[in-house]
Amino acid sequence: MEATARAHPNIAFIKYWGNRDDHLRIPANSSISMNLDGLSTETTVEWADDIAADYLILNGTAQTGPALERVQRHLDMLRRRLNLSAYARVESTNNFPMGAGIASSASSFAALTVAGVAASGRGDIDERELTRLARLGSGSASRSVPGGFVEWHSGDSHETSYAESMAPENHWALVDVIAVISTAHKAVGSTEGHKSASTSVLQTARVADAALRFEQCKRAILDRDFVTFAEVVERDSNLMHAIMMTSRPPLFYWLPGSLEVMESVRSWRSEGLDVCYTMDAGPNVHCICTQERAAEIETRLRQMTYVVDVRTAGVGGAASVVRVSKR
Ligand code: DP6
């Protein structure tokens, strides 16, 4: 059987940084995100008896090396959990360019998981279990399985660490206006970064306070309270970057342009514009605003010297199966 699935990337408002268990990707704290509409990864998986190894074609190019190995490890895990022995042909395309400031591992591992399970014909695997399986490939992928605004409960075991939707995509018309500062490939990826989080003496304090920020952010989203939302989202992003900068070795993702955008966003908010910033493991700044403000924010960002491109995305839905067929 062959199945195709589609999943959106997501942007975290309460960040996942550091694991209690790196192997199972049990995070140090629970996190919150929204899916990004219009951006997606589409992946086809065929479990095939006529091949002697897994194959991966990414955006039209056959992969070898680390990208293939990470997918193979995920397929090994799926084979164990789904009781399969066949190897897989995997073909995946992103409709957004790599290096455009949008992490692709969340949508990639969400789509791979949903397609792999659908192609196995196992109808007994529910959404919650799909989020657990996606988590094993990439932590943030668990949040790309359910739709809209999503919470990932850290839990303390494979069973208790899963994601679910806290509000559907039409709950609040927020937009992520991404200020692209650099498209260079990042030097240190998230997986390596998570492993170094505990070397910062600040990580204990960040994690101790994370449940409170989680509750503040969730309440603000449910109440559509932008003022509270903006404060906690920026504080949480700053805290994660403080950990990165004080880890051993230190990780600096901010560039001068990132600082300039963050500074501008703060001053635009003091003028009365509903906008706040958050940054992931890269130099690009995600400016989160209400839909009415998106065009204005985009225009202002495009005028800034360091901003090389701007992309916008509204709130996206759940990962879905696009097609299932028998070969
Ligand atoms: C900074 O999910 O990419 O984007 O589990 O190793 O694949 P792995 O890491 P990943 O980490 C995401 C880190 C972040 C914050 C977030 O999305 O919560």
Side-chain angles (χ1 to χ4, degrees), residues 72-119:
Q72 279 172 331
R73 279 197 297 278
H74 198 62
L75 293 168
D76 281 341
M77 180 283 297
L78 287 177
R79 272 188 281 270
R80 274 196 306 279
R81 291 184 188 259
L82 302 171
N83 252 326
L84 297 170
S85 53
Y87 287 105
R89 278 195 194 95
V90 178
E91 190 159 353
S92 190
T93 50
N94 294 325
N95 75 352
F96 53 96
M98 303 286 223
I102 305 136
S104 60
S105 76
S107 52
S108 299
F109 282 93
L112 177 63
T113 304
V114 172
V117 169

Side-chain angles (χ1 to χ4, degrees), residues 14-318:
I14 297 298
K15 306 291 189 187
Y16 149 49
W17 197 248
N19 284 313
R20 293 182 208 195
D21 181 324
D22 281 320
H23 182 64
L24 289 176
R25 290 188 159 85
I26 311 291
N29 62 279
S30 299
S31 53
I32 295 178
S33 59
M34 81 174 199
N35 287 339
L36 299 179
D37 194 33
L39 309 171
S40 61
T41 300
E42 200 171 292
T43 301
T44 301
V45 175
E46 180 200 356
W47 298 107
D49 290 323
D50 61 342
I51 48 176
D54 295 318
Y55 290 95
L56 170 64
I57 298 173
L58 186 56
N59 297 323
T61 309
Q63 302 292 306
T64 54
L68 173 66
E69 283 157 26
R70 188 166 176 183
V71 165
Q72 279 172 331
R73 279 197 297 278
H74 198 62
L75 293 168
D76 281 341
M77 180 283 297
L78 287 177
R79 272 188 281 270
R80 274 196 306 279
R81 291 184 188 259
L82 302 171
N83 252 326
L84 297 170
S85 53
Y87 287 105
R89 278 195 194 95
V90 178
E91 190 159 353
S92 190
T93 50
N94 294 325
N95 75 352
F96 53 96
M98 303 286 223
I102 305 136
S104 60
S105 76
S107 52
S108 299
F109 282 93
L112 177 63
T113 304
V114 172
V117 169
S120 77
R122 286 275 300 265
D124 58 326
I125 295 183
D126 62 9
E127 182 186 270
R128 191 167 287 191
E129 181 60 9
L130 288 172
T131 74
R132 294 188 189 99
L133 297 176
R135 188 199 76 233
L136 295 167
S138 175
S140 56
S142 65
R143 296 189 313 238
S144 279
V145 175
F149 296 86
V150 177
E151 52 191 314
W152 169 17
H153 306 283
S154 62
D156 55 10
S157 62
H158 176 64
E159 197 58 27
T160 55
S161 190
Y162 63 87
E164 64 181 330
S165 177
M166 68 164 72
E169 52 268 41
N170 62 3
H171 168 72
W172 196 12
L174 291 184
V175 176
D176 182 3
V177 186
I178 307 163
V180 180
I181 305 293
S182 164
T183 53
H185 194 74
K186 59 186 168 197
V188 180
S190 301
T191 304
E192 239 178 290
H194 290 298
K195 290 183 181 150
S196 72
S198 61
T199 64
S200 165
V201 293
L202 304 181
Q203 172 75 343
T204 314
R206 189 192 74 88
V207 171
D209 195 41
L212 198 63
R213 292 192 304 281
F214 181 96
E215 286 310 321
Q216 284 169 342
C217 185
K218 180 172 179 176
R219 191 76 322 240
I221 290 172
L222 295 179
D223 295 344
R224 302 183 193 89
D225 167 2
F226 199 87
V227 174
T228 309
F229 174 79
E231 191 281 325
V232 70
V233 167
E234 290 189 356
R235 182 154 44 94
D236 193 82
S237 172
N238 295 343
L239 276 163
M240 179 181 74
H241 284 272
I243 305 307
M244 292 164 162
M245 292 175 195
T246 51
S247 292
R248 280 172 292 173
L251 294 171
F252 286 86
Y253 290 108
W254 295 0
L255 291 176
S258 324
L259 275 165
E260 196 183 72
V261 172
M262 288 191 281
E263 187 56 40
S264 299
V265 165
R266 274 193 296 267
S267 99
W268 297 340
R269 194 160 69 254
S270 67
E271 285 172 26
L273 277 184
D274 278 343
V275 58
C276 65
Y277 66 76
T278 184
M279 287 182 65
D280 280 345
N284 304 315
V285 186
H286 295 253
C287 303
I288 313 295
C289 63
T290 49
Q291 197 167 39
E292 309 83 75
R293 297 303 197 184
E296 168 78 18
I297 302 297
E298 177 170 354
T299 306
R300 291 189 185 205
L301 288 171
R302 285 200 187 276
Q303 285 160 4
M304 297 178 71
T305 333
Y306 287 111
V307 176
V308 296
D309 197 6
V310 178
R311 288 173 184 271
T312 60
V315 191

